[in-house]
Amino acid sequence: MAHDIVFFLAPDDEAAAATRLRGPGDAFESVTCRFIEPDSAIAEWDMYFEEPSAEVPPLEQLLGWAWPEWVTAPLNDGVEVFALPKRLTRALASANSAELEKLAGRWTTRLRSEDGDDMTDDDLLAVLRGVARLAASAVNTGGGLYTWSF
């Protein structure tokens, strides 16, 4: 499980890849959270907007979904930089409060069932709202939305 996760805006994949060694820091607008797996979160969010449901998807369905692509090849240091799919970025940018609340509820239920007491202490609805604001900025500026995790 990734310890530190930063969702951030960058103008392009090259700029996002340049964050690999040190993280995005203050150079990019960002939202930080802890103790989640960014790739499974991204896949679950994408699935939610493509096939809306308040129910947690079966694990087989989630594992079969299109997962995000690495911006840089993974190494053995645990650092990952992913690009959020453009369709997910657009969906998050246009999501209303009720959609984000339903997604946060579903996401929380899945994480609680998988991680129990080790689940993140972050307010997942606040994380989603922050990422949705970043997505709106990405759509408006033509940039991309990425995650950096360690």
Side-chain angles (χ1 to χ4, degrees):
M1 176 171 296
H3 294 281
D4 295 311
I5 301 90
V6 182
F7 292 90
F8 67 99
L9 291 175
D12 54 38
D13 288 358
E14 185 177 335
T19 69
R20 189 193 177 296
L21 294 178
R22 294 182 312 277
D26 294 334
F28 299 100
E29 188 177 352
S30 64
V31 171
T32 303
C33 59
R34 298 179 50 82
F35 304 116
I36 65 163
E37 292 295 340
D39 52 354
S40 64
I42 293 166
E44 183 169 353
W45 300 351
D46 189 47
M47 179 186 292
Y48 174 82
F49 286 109
E50 289 298 305
E51 300 175 7
S53 170
E55 300 299 316
V56 175
L59 184 58
E60 302 79 31
Q61 184 181 7
L62 181 60
L63 293 175
W65 200 257
W67 284 54
E69 294 186 19
W70 281 295
V71 175
T72 59
L75 301 175
N76 290 332
D77 60 3
V79 175
E80 296 178 315
V81 180
F82 290 108
L84 275 71
K86 295 290 185 193
R87 75 177 183 187
L88 175 57
T89 301
R90 287 188 301 271
L92 284 164
S94 63
N96 63 41
S97 186
E99 288 172 315
L100 294 175
E101 287 172 15
K102 287 177 188 173
L103 175 54
R106 181 173 116 166
W107 187 29
T108 300
T109 299
R110 183 181 63 80
L111 291 177
R112 187 167 287 121
S113 72
E114 290 178 0
D115 302 335
D117 291 339
D118 292 330
M119 189 178 122
T120 181
D121 290 335
D122 286 315
D123 177 342
L124 297 180
L125 178 56
V127 169
L128 275 170
R129 286 179 175 153
V131 174
R133 281 191 298 276
L134 292 177
S137 292
V139 168
N140 289 335
T141 63
L145 189 52
Y146 301 89
T147 65
W148 177 93
S149 62
F150 174 71

